[in-house]
């Protein structure tokens, strides 16, 4: 899976906290694997990971590997940073991506052609290293 | 009028007050402003603090807003409400208060708000933009904040992006909403921004979070306001003409924008339908609109979801200036959050202006013959929707 180093001269991103329910999700990012929490009873993906399925409230849940591919649902270019750790990256793209597994994630679209991204564009997961050996899932456009 | 709903016109807003200054700043602490608003709204109604047996407040420096406020006021209310839904908290609290009064659980309720983000920021004591880089272990901290979305405008920009993609809505159409706001604020001596603007002015303002530009975004000012509610029976004997609560509705759909089911449709579909049903009215009965304009896109979505135009047609609907002075759907007659004031939560000001329009107190910006007003709060990131339909004596 693609590794996208953070841009030269920028800071480490603010470190995402790890909730109990999302420990498998974050652990898998150390191997650059994207997991989707899954409710077998409903046969549905869940994001963000939680203690019970938001459809049936069942608590027998598992995690499945994602294809890592999806489609941009909505996107916006930030003209200035949304928090101090993003300083120097602007302008950058924040997007909602609908994964093939039927879940939606907030993320960044990165790469040379990120600025031209639009809703409907196909994208694939890429990984930005975090200082604690986790990786943050971001997305790059899939070339036509 | 159909009067089948047991809550229709059983209660009324009988006192209002707000504090707004063209400088965007107010003197006094948040608490002192709250007390001043309560005093002024009670005076407006012809009531005193001794009449108050219910208190609603959604923010405090401590742990229990309505408790701390009641303590400060030196009263022991038998009804208390600290509901927090962001900028729509006040519409939600009015709904709760109206139900409580109609059920006999309270008789006189005050709903109050004050915030001083602009002057606090200048003093270096917090305010907007003071958030630090250490994240709380919340879903937002874990799955949104690391991506650097500007809040809240980034979330609204995503909604605008999707609306443009699905329906062909344009930046020019959104800009007209901001232009219309100035046709009202130019008549309001207390408004922060009074200069008329054009669509080109909006398009020339700096991009913030595409497709939203600076003039698509609400202000950041100090501000305060309060409303007083009581029963319809008691309202008849008070100083001002009552603004009867004809219908209310609330719906929350998410807290984080990444959990919003459909970025082009809000919970106002539900809250509006509930309010119309209770009121026995529909969109065509509304004479004046007070819609939460955190951003231009907010207004567009609310017009569609509250039935003023079909889903997806908000862009063409607003393009001809229907919301401005002289338009078919006069909206945000103060100038709204875009031009009047926006201290972080605008919902109280929507209610205050709706009541003043129904009383005919608005001078140059009065909508002639306004009998039915719709105030709609939107809280969070299009998260919490709450509709309050108010009417004059003639609508009972």
């Amino acid at each position: 899976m693609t590794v996208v180093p953070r841009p030269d001269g920028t800071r480490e991103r603010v470190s995402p906290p790890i909730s109990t329910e999302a420990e498998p999700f974050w652990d898998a990012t150390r191997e650059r694997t994207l997991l989707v929490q899954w409710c077998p009873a409903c046969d549905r993906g869940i994001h963000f990971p939680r203690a019970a399925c938001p459809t049936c409230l069942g608590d027998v849940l598992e995690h499945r590997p994602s294809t890592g591919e999806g489609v941009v649902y909505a996107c916006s270019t930030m003209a200035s940073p949304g928090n101090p750790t993003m300083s120097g990256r602007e302008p950058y793209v924040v997007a909602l991506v609908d994964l093939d597994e039927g879940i939606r994630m907030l993320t960044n679209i990165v790469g040379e052609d990120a600025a031209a991204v639009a809703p409907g564009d196909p994208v694939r997961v890429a990984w930005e290293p975090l200082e604690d050996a986790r990786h943050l899932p971001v997305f790059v456009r899939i070339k036509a | 009028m159909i009067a089948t709903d047991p809550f229709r016109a059983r209660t009324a807003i009988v006192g209002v007050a707000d504090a707004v200054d063209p400088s965007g700043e107010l003197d006094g602490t948040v608490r002192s402003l709250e007390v001043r608003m309560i005093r002024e709204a009670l005076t407006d109604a012809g009531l005193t603090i001794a009449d108050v047996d219910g208190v609603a407040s959604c923010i405090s420096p401590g742990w229990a807003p309505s408790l701390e406020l009641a303590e400060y006021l030196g009263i022991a209310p038998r009804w208390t409400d600290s509901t927090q839904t962001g900028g729509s908290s006040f519409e939600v609290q009015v709904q709760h208060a109206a139900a409580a009064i109609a059920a006999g659980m309270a008789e006189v309720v005050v709903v109050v708000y004050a915030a001083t983000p602009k002057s606090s920021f200048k003093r270096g004591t917090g305010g907007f933009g003071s958030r630090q880089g250490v994240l709380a272990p919340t879903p937002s901290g874990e799955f949104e904040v690391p991506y650097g979305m500007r809040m809240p405008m980034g979330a609204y920009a995503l909604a605008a992006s999707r609306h443009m993609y699905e329906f062909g809505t344009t930046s020019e159409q959104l800009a007209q909403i901001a232009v219309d706001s100035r046709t009202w604020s130019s008549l309001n001596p207390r408004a922060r921004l009074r200069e008329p603007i054009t669509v080109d002015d909006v398009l020339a303002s700096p991009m913030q979070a595409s497709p939203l530009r600076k003039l698509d975004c609400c202000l950041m000012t100090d501000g305060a306001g309060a409303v007083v509610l009581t029963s319809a029976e008691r309202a008849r004997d008070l100083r001002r003409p009552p603004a009867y609560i004809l219908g209310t509705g609330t719906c929350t759909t998410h807290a984080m924008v990444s959990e919003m089911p459909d970025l082009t449709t809000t919970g106002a579909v539900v809250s509006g339908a509930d309010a119309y049903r209770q009121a026995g009215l529909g969109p065509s009965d509304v004479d004046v609109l007070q819609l939460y304009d955190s951003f231009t896109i907010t207004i567009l979505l609310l017009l569609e979801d509250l039935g003023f135009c079909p889903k997806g047609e908000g862009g063409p609907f607003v393009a001809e200036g229907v919301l401005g002075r002289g338009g078919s759907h006069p909206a945000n007659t103060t100038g709204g959050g875009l031009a009047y004031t926006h201290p972080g939560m605008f919902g109280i000001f929507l209610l205050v202006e709706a009541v003043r329009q129904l009383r005919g107190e608005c001078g140059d910006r009065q909508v002639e013959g306004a009998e039915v007003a719709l105030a709609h709060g939107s809280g969070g990131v299009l998260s919490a929707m709450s509709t309050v339909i108010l009417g004059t004596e003639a609508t009972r």
Side-chain angles (χ1 to χ4, degrees), chain B residues 106-173:
Chain B
E107 189 167 350
V108 175
V109 171
V110 293
V111 176
V112 67
Y113 169 68
T116 59
K118 186 173 175 68
S119 51
S120 297
F121 187 70
K122 280 177 74 173
R123 287 195 301 267
T125 53
F128 289 177
S130 60
R131 194 177 302 158
Q132 295 304 305
V134 178
L135 290 181
T138 61
S140 173
E142 194 168 7
F143 291 104
E144 284 200 343
V145 178
Y147 295 103
M149 181 169 65
R150 292 187 70 184
M151 279 294 284
M153 70 175 63
Y156 289 82
L158 291 172
S161 151
R162 188 67 193 180
H163 204 279
M164 289 177 168
Y165 173 73
E166 285 195 30
F167 304 116
T169 308
T170 66
S171 290
E172 287 79 3
Q173 291 165 342

Side-chain angles (χ1 to χ4, degrees), chain A residues 52-109:
Chain A
C53 168
T55 301
C56 69
L57 288 191
D59 61 359
V60 181
L61 305 175
E62 58 191 47
H63 284 80
R64 296 183 177 182
S66 166
T67 64
E69 294 192 359
V71 172
V72 173
Y73 175 76
C75 55
S76 174
T77 300
M78 303 296 116
S80 54
N83 66 59
T85 69
M86 297 299 279
S87 183
R89 297 181 188 239
E90 69 275 17
Y92 57 90
V93 178
V94 171
L96 291 169
V97 168
D98 288 341
L99 289 180
D100 290 350
E101 291 78 20
I103 63 154
R104 180 174 296 163
M105 298 180 65
L106 191 82
T107 189
N108 296 129
I109 309 298

